[in-house]
Amino acid sequence: MEKALTQQPINLVKVVLFGPESTGKTTLSGQLARHYNTVWAPEFAREYLQGKWNNERKTCEQHDLIPIAEGQMDLENELAKKADKVLICDTDLLETKVYSEEYYGGFVDPKLDEAAIANTYDIYFLTYIDTPWEADDLRDRPEQRLEMFKAFENALKKYNRPYVLLKGNKETRLKKAVAIIDALLTKKENLYSFSDTLTDLDMHFMHQSPDTPNYDM
């Protein structure tokens, strides 16, 4: 599998917000990251495509999907190293694969297809379309929200991904998501914590003798 699309191994509870545009994924990502005092990986495609629109007045094209996927995995892998037991992902490569299939007549680059299926997460939160549509430079298909939602749900079922449907207002969604993540945290041991690595580093220097040579200088 392409190295740039490969998920680096790290023992975290990995959560994906998954679903159509304008369904509250980014809002919930930030809420969950604050709740667990951890980091969240934003949707790389937003920045990439906004730049394309600003500079070229063009929206996403088929050849953009691999750079988007590579940028997303780079973000996820780098931010995982700064997470505290939980990593929140605003999207994943399976979502990119769904968009590719829906927008380009079923086409998916083989490299994207392989990585989207191979990368794994502990839970997907599928966000329902009961949120107001908020238009911007990039969003389209407001009249096809249900069709897109079904495409996302079908992908989760097809690839046997663990998922929970989130409906309702922000507070309802957050409460349900927290309960599920809390349950996952009790089942996994020796989870990676960036704060622990900082503590270990501080303790190392605290106990280092002034006379101990430092070969890293």
Side-chain angles (χ1 to χ4, degrees):
M1 188 166 70
E2 287 280 324
K3 183 177 180 181
L5 299 176
T6 301
Q7 187 181 54
Q8 299 302 314
I10 188 166
N11 190 28
L12 293 163
V13 171
K14 294 185 179 180
V15 177
V16 180
L17 280 296
F18 196 78
E21 298 173 318
S22 197
T23 54
K25 297 189 298 293
T26 300
T27 297
L28 184 55
S29 293
Q31 289 176 316
L32 289 170
R34 286 191 294 273
H35 180 85
Y36 289 102
N37 193 31
T38 190
V39 296
W40 62 283
E43 186 180 18
F44 179 80
R46 296 293 302 176
E47 182 178 355
Y48 178 98
L49 294 175
Q50 188 66 59
K52 179 169 182 166
W53 175 258
N54 292 344
N55 294 324
E56 305 175 43
R57 281 299 185 266
K58 291 182 179 179
T59 56
C60 187
E61 298 172 281
Q62 188 172 302
H63 62 79
D64 291 314
L65 294 176
I66 290 298
I68 286 172
E70 291 176 346
Q72 191 64 49
M73 284 315 304
D74 185 57
L75 270 178
E76 179 183 320
N77 287 329
E78 285 303 309
L79 288 167
K81 300 171 188 175
K82 300 179 181 179
D84 188 11
K85 298 181 181 178
V86 180
L87 176 66
I88 310 298
C89 301
D90 194 356
T91 188
D92 78 331
L93 299 194
L94 184 58
E95 180 146 335
T96 308
K97 170 178 158 67
V98 172
Y99 273 113
S100 183
E101 290 170 338
E102 293 299 310
Y103 278 72
Y104 304 109
F107 170 82
V108 182
D109 186 290
K111 297 189 293 292
L112 172 59
D113 192 58
E114 181 184 12
I117 296 170
N119 293 345
T120 60
Y121 301 84
D122 294 277
I123 192 68
Y124 284 77
F125 290 126
L126 177 62
T127 49
Y128 194 58
I129 55 174
D130 56 347
T131 54
W133 175 268
E134 295 183 10
D136 63 17
D137 292 336
L138 305 177
R139 290 172 176 162
D140 61 1
R141 300 192 178 186
E143 73 289 349
Q144 297 181 39
R145 296 184 82 190
L146 183 58
E147 177 185 330
M148 290 300 295
F149 173 81
K150 289 180 177 178
F152 283 108
E153 185 168 36
N154 288 339
L156 293 173
K157 291 178 178 178
K158 179 178 180 179
Y159 297 107
N160 197 30
R161 299 301 201 234
Y163 79 95
V164 172
L165 176 63
L166 294 184
K167 292 183 175 182
N169 60 28
K170 296 176 184 178
E171 293 74 20
T172 300
R173 293 180 177 207
L174 178 62
K175 184 177 180 181
K176 186 172 183 178
V178 165
I180 291 165
I181 295 171
D182 283 350
L184 289 170
L185 284 167
T186 66
K187 297 176 182 178
K188 297 188 75 169
E189 298 180 348
N190 302 316
L191 288 165
Y192 172 85
S193 173
F194 181 61
S195 58
D196 288 345
T197 64
L198 290 178
T199 301
D200 291 344
L201 189 63
D202 289 343
M203 292 297 290
H204 167 74
F205 285 111
M206 184 184 300
H207 291 99
Q208 187 177 34
S209 166
D211 298 325
T212 302
N214 187 338
Y215 297 108
D216 294 330
M217 296 296 286

